[in-house]
Amino acid sequence: MKIRKAVITAAGWGTRFLPVTRSQPKEMLPLVDKPLIQYSVEEAVNSGIEQVIIVTSAGKRSIEDYFDRAFELEHFLERKKESGLLQRMQEISSMVNICYIRQKEQKGLGDAVLTVKDIVGDEPFALMLPDDIINSKVPALKQMTAICEKYGSGVIAVESVGDEDTRKYGIIEPEKVEDKVYKVVGLVEKPEPSEAPSRLGIIGRYILTPAIFDILKITPPGKNGEVQLTDALNTLLKQEKLFALELDGTRYDAGTPLGWLKANVDLALKREDIASELRKYLKKLL
Ligand code: G1P
């Protein structure tokens, strides 16, 4: 199964990051010096994706502007003979073919995925939730496409979560098939720890087959009154196999202030131009 398209959902309110998200899309918060969403776009490109589809909503125009050409800025940098910076700016707008669609009401992740039905068409696709930043040698989506090809099925990324965190994730009922790979037997969205079938939580990377769309159309609102992708995947199991992969790498939930701060520090410590000064500063602080 060749995966050509990646869907990135960027339509949510960003309530866990209020008040800054009152007037600024969460996806445009900076991680070091790039917006959150650029990390997902780069991961997609580095995994061989040819087209990115971003699901936005009202108030998210700055995402489209960001990936567009910025002629005035380019002209300015050209005049200032900032050729390195100019090249970096041009690369952002030419990275990949991106199209946008709006989710008109925030009715849940399942509903957001349904908006791309006609754009994706009848082929498997990747789904990325840009809050989840995955720092790994092999890009996360690439790790997943390898499993998708091996088993010929959809794949979701999972990670071990603590008892106190089952309420934050979709939790799978796993059947181990090889190191770090599980056949998914069932899924529950954000269960209490006592109801959770395991401690493997879904993180924001999925490879889905187009069968999910017809199921989403008839999936009623679930947890928190939202159409849940997790519920649709549970129904999908009656028709198709689904696998789960524990990724190699570090994942940050950059959609919360604490996760975002951790991601900023770790990523900055990997930057040659920043690391040594930052390390000195952190040592002094501690
Ligand atoms: C969504 C999914 C959930 C998944 C999580 C990963 O929840 O519904 O199953 O575990 O993303 O980040 P959200 O975080 O949007 O509430």
Side-chain angles (χ1 to χ4, degrees), residues 183-200:
K183 181 170 174 262
V184 178
V185 182
L187 310 93
V188 191
E189 180 67 4
K190 303 192 173 93
E192 292 299 315
S194 57
E195 312 275 306
S198 75
R199 293 295 181 263
L200 286 174

Side-chain angles (χ1 to χ4, degrees), residues 6-286:
V7 175
I8 301 180
T9 51
W13 285 109
T15 46
R16 295 179 304 165
F17 232 125
L18 281 168
V20 67
T21 43
R22 271 165 71 94
S23 62
Q24 142 109 353
K26 172 182 63 179
E27 298 77 14
M28 290 303 292
L29 291 173
L31 261 190
V32 190
D33 55 6
K34 292 190 288 193
L36 272 187
I37 194 166
Q38 188 170 343
Y39 290 82
S40 287
V41 173
E42 287 177 354
E43 182 190 317
V45 172
N46 293 333
S47 304
I49 294 292
E50 293 163 15
Q51 185 183 28
V52 168
I53 301 151
I54 302 184
V55 183
T56 67
S57 59
K60 304 272 185 168
R61 274 274 301 280
S62 56
I63 299 176
E64 294 180 42
D65 291 341
Y66 182 81
F67 289 107
D68 201 352
R69 283 290 294 270
F71 289 105
E72 285 176 19
L73 174 65
E74 287 177 24
H75 183 64
F76 172 78
L77 294 173
E78 218 171 300
R79 266 197 298 134
K80 293 267 171 202
K81 308 224 177 326
E82 292 272 12
S83 54
L85 201 50
L86 174 64
Q87 193 190 338
R88 273 175 59 204
M89 293 307 100
Q90 287 169 336
E91 277 164 11
I92 290 170
S93 50
S94 59
M95 225 176 342
V96 67
N97 165 14
I98 305 184
C99 72
Y100 300 87
I101 186 159
R102 278 196 184 200
Q103 184 190 19
K104 297 195 182 68
E105 261 179 82
Q106 271 105 333
K107 292 196 282 191
L109 178 60
D111 180 69
V113 173
L114 193 52
T115 61
V116 301
K117 180 179 187 296
D118 292 338
I119 307 176
V120 166
D122 194 24
E123 58 180 293
F125 63 101
L127 170 66
M128 312 174 84
L129 312 190
D131 287 5
D132 279 327
I133 301 290
I134 298 152
N135 190 12
S136 54
K137 278 206 193 92
V138 179
L141 266 193
K142 201 169 182 181
Q143 297 178 38
M144 295 173 71
T145 47
I147 298 299
C148 170
E149 271 157 30
K150 180 167 178 185
Y151 291 94
S153 301
V155 182
I156 57 181
V158 291
E159 169 174 283
S160 285
V161 300
D163 287 354
E164 64 292 356
D165 283 336
T166 60
R167 295 182 196 90
K168 294 186 192 157
Y169 297 92
I171 303 286
I172 66 161
E173 185 181 344
E175 206 176 272
K176 190 165 180 163
V177 291
E178 60 173 286
D179 188 33
K180 298 189 172 182
V181 181
Y182 305 86
K183 181 170 174 262
V184 178
V185 182
L187 310 93
V188 191
E189 180 67 4
K190 303 192 173 93
E192 292 299 315
S194 57
E195 312 275 306
S198 75
R199 293 295 181 263
L200 286 174
I202 305 169
I203 58 173
R205 298 292 183 276
Y206 306 71
I207 291 180
L208 302 172
T209 61
I212 199 69
F213 294 123
D214 283 339
I215 297 173
L216 280 170
K217 272 195 222 159
I218 53 165
T219 301
K223 194 91 188 179
N224 302 330
E226 296 180 346
V227 179
Q228 297 293 351
L229 177 61
T230 304
D231 294 344
L233 288 172
N234 211 16
T235 310
L236 181 83
L237 295 181
K238 294 183 193 132
Q239 306 171 20
E240 282 182 13
K241 284 185 186 157
L242 178 67
F243 289 83
L245 171 68
E246 283 183 274
L247 295 167
D248 281 328
T250 310
R251 172 243 175 193
Y252 303 92
D253 179 3
T256 65
L258 180 61
W260 176 80
L261 284 166
K262 287 182 186 170
N264 265 296
V265 173
D266 281 12
L267 294 175
L269 286 172
K270 290 190 167 59
R271 280 270 296 259
E272 272 178 24
D273 55 334
I274 300 176
S276 79
E277 284 296 313
L278 179 61
R279 197 166 288 120
K280 272 189 222 155
Y281 174 72
L282 291 173
K283 269 194 189 141
K284 203 170 83 186
L285 265 189
L286 298 170

